Amino acid sequence: YIDLFNPKINSEDKIFEIFKKATLFYVAENNRRIIGTIRGTPDRISSLFVDGTQHKKGIGKKLLLKFETEAMKQRSREIKLRSQLYSVIFYEKMGYKKTRGIINAKGLKVYPMRKVLN
């Protein structure tokens, strides 16, 4: 799954096509360096990434809240995602609930989760 974004495996055009499908995309920066990203559509988060050196600083929370706010503006009633196992606790703290057990998604073990937006 991570190889999707590897320019040695996929062309820049292919990677661009993957990112183009995301209608919502936010970037967190520090000193002109990207330290976090979130992307998806109003009803689905495709990916949330925060640089490991920046964990526990509220960056993921800010990105997620920004995403949810825009999703609500676009009339989304819920957001779904597939959480990697180590991220489940973070998403649960943010109000997401597991919708079923662990599944295998393109070689990664993940929990499908969702949050109803108010």
Side-chain angles (χ1 to χ4, degrees):
Y1 186 72
I2 292 171
D3 288 340
L4 286 174
F5 306 111
N6 184 338
K8 292 179 182 176
I9 295 172
N10 283 314
S11 69
E12 286 184 22
D13 289 338
K14 174 73 173 172
I15 294 168
F16 180 73
E17 287 301 314
I18 293 167
F19 275 92
K20 209 165 74 169
K21 292 177 184 176
T23 57
L24 298 177
F25 187 91
Y26 297 102
V27 175
E29 291 181 300
N30 185 11
N31 295 322
R32 299 185 57 158
R33 189 173 143 262
I34 294 173
I35 57 172
T37 63
I38 189 168
R39 70 180 180 90
T41 60
D43 62 346
R44 178 170 299 279
I45 294 172
S46 301
S47 66
L48 169 60
F49 171 79
V50 176
D51 184 303
T53 64
Q54 302 297 313
H55 285 187
K56 305 284 186 192
K57 296 183 179 180
I59 296 162
K61 180 178 181 177
K62 288 178 185 174
L63 286 167
L64 188 57
L65 291 173
K66 177 73 174 167
F67 189 99
E68 290 175 358
T69 298
E70 185 58 33
M72 286 188 286
K73 286 181 187 174
Q74 294 189 28
R75 301 196 191 319
S76 180
R77 295 183 184 262
E78 72 176 8
I79 297 176
K80 295 179 181 180
L81 58 88
R82 291 180 172 174
S83 173
Q84 292 186 18
L85 303 183
Y86 65 86
S87 301
V88 169
I89 293 171
F90 166 76
Y91 286 115
E92 287 177 332
K93 286 180 182 176
M94 297 300 295
Y96 288 78
K97 308 280 186 218
K98 295 175 195 168
T99 57
R100 55 192 253 204
I102 296 172
I103 63 169
N104 186 327
K106 298 181 184 179
L108 288 176
K109 291 182 179 181
V110 296
Y111 272 107
M113 300 181 84
R114 74 184 266 257
K115 179 178 182 177
V116 176
L117 302 173
N118 298 329

